[in-house]
Amino acid sequence: QVQLVESGGGLVQAGGSLRLSCAASGSIFVSIAMGWYRQAPGKQRELVATITSDGTNYADSVKGRFTISRDNAKNTVYLQMNSLKPEDTAVYYCNANGLTYSASGFDSWGRGTQVTVSS
């Protein structure tokens, strides 16, 4: 079983920055993709950014403002969020998928961390 724990959320003024972290633990043989999603009140969960060995992918709404990175040795993914806007307010969820040491696949979610941007 693979667990993900997010940290780094909080309250920030518009134009400010936050850095989210997500640490994966468990019987992880390899993480293929790691990423961040968000869900605002009354809206569906949406992709923010993903990272694989082939590169990164961003939602159009965050391109140029957010940067995703990962430390494979620590099984940790980060999301640096700059120039935050009130519309970035949401619960941010970490996701990871890959293979365990028992050769089974996993697709795990964290519990989420709240990001609130005040105007």
Side-chain angles (χ1 to χ4, degrees), residues 42-114:
K43 295 187 177 181
Q44 290 188 331
R45 189 174 297 187
E46 63 177 3
L47 178 146
V48 176
T50 60
I51 184 167
T52 69
S53 59
D54 293 330
T56 57
N57 179 50
Y58 294 93
D60 288 342
S61 59
V62 307
K63 283 181 180 176
R65 300 188 298 122
F66 291 9
T67 302
I68 189 170
S69 61
R70 64 190 288 178
D71 184 333
N72 290 326
K74 296 181 179 180
N75 282 318
T76 299
V77 63
Y78 306 95
L79 185 69
Q80 178 66 44
M81 304 185 294
N82 298 329
S83 302
L84 282 161
K85 304 175 181 179
E87 50 263 44
D88 294 318
T89 295
V91 177
Y92 284 69
Y93 296 91
C94 177
N95 172 263
N97 61 67
L99 294 173
T100 66
Y101 281 105
S102 61
S104 60
F106 69 88
D107 187 349
S108 299
W109 291 88
R111 293 188 175 185
T113 185
Q114 177 71 45

